[in-house]
Amino acid sequence: MNKVLLRGVSLLLLAGLLCPVTLPAAAGGDIAVVVRPDTPADDLTLAEIRRLLLGERQFWNSNLRVTLLIRAPVAHEREVVLKTIYGMSEAAFKQYWISKVFRAEATSGPKIVYSNEMASELILAIPGSVAFVDATQVPKGLKVLKVNGKLPGDKAYPLR
């Protein structure tokens, strides 16, 4: 790349007009389900996680709303969530949430996050939020939920 073009790209990055591309995590890694430490859950079944992600369960308890944080398209974490939990293609997922909001069954669809770091920051900032991040990138301060009694790295952990 020539110096003028490189300088222009650098200026755009600094100005926030061009977002750096986050590459997906290496295929095959475990995906952790993470929440704030004060979220009233420790172990969910895959069926319970599916109910959360489908918007069928919208509250952790009577006063704590679930906020879904989902990685942007092409991220490995999103592919695992769509395939393993939703059982949907990208197009079906988008149509599902458009229909759900249109029918007023939900106020909005999942919030899109562009990196595991962004997901982690939002989890700490938004009570009741839940995200799916690369298990090797879970920062201190977040709670990793068991799925079907298993943690990432355990044999038969379902989210990989």
Side-chain angles (χ1 to χ4, degrees):
M1 212 183 307
N2 70 37
K3 288 182 182 181
V4 173
L5 182 57
L6 185 57
R7 187 174 300 133
V9 169
S10 297
L11 290 173
L12 287 172
L13 284 169
L14 287 172
L17 298 175
L18 180 64
C19 296
V21 175
T22 302
L23 297 175
D30 287 356
I31 304 303
V33 181
V34 293
V35 294
R36 285 170 45 130
D38 59 352
T39 302
D42 293 306
D43 188 355
L44 298 174
T45 65
L46 206 52
E48 289 172 317
I49 293 172
R50 181 172 166 75
R51 287 186 58 233
L52 285 173
L53 287 176
L54 289 172
E56 294 171 359
R57 177 179 173 188
Q58 297 184 11
F59 291 87
W60 291 106
N61 58 32
S62 62
N63 60 355
L64 184 59
R65 178 175 286 283
V66 173
T67 300
L68 302 173
L69 305 174
I70 304 290
R71 286 291 306 269
V74 308
H76 173 68
E77 296 86 349
R78 184 181 182 105
E79 291 173 11
V80 170
V81 167
L82 289 181
K83 178 182 165 195
T84 307
I85 300 171
Y86 277 105
M88 295 180 187
S89 67
E90 185 68 39
F93 168 77
K94 289 177 181 176
Q95 184 59 48
Y96 175 83
W97 279 102
I98 289 168
S99 298
K100 194 158 187 73
V101 171
F102 182 75
R103 291 189 307 267
E105 294 172 0
T107 55
S108 68
K111 312 247 180 284
I112 303 301
V113 294
Y114 297 97
S115 68
N116 287 322
E117 294 80 15
M118 182 180 181
S120 300
E121 289 173 13
L122 287 173
I123 287 170
L124 290 172
I126 304 170
S129 58
V130 58
F132 301 82
V133 301
D134 183 318
T136 64
Q137 297 182 15
V138 176
K140 288 180 172 47
L142 296 183
K143 179 168 48 171
V144 176
L145 300 182
K146 289 182 180 178
V147 180
N148 293 340
K150 307 283 185 193
L151 285 170
D154 289 348
K155 189 174 183 176
Y157 181 73
L159 298 177
R160 16 184 85 105

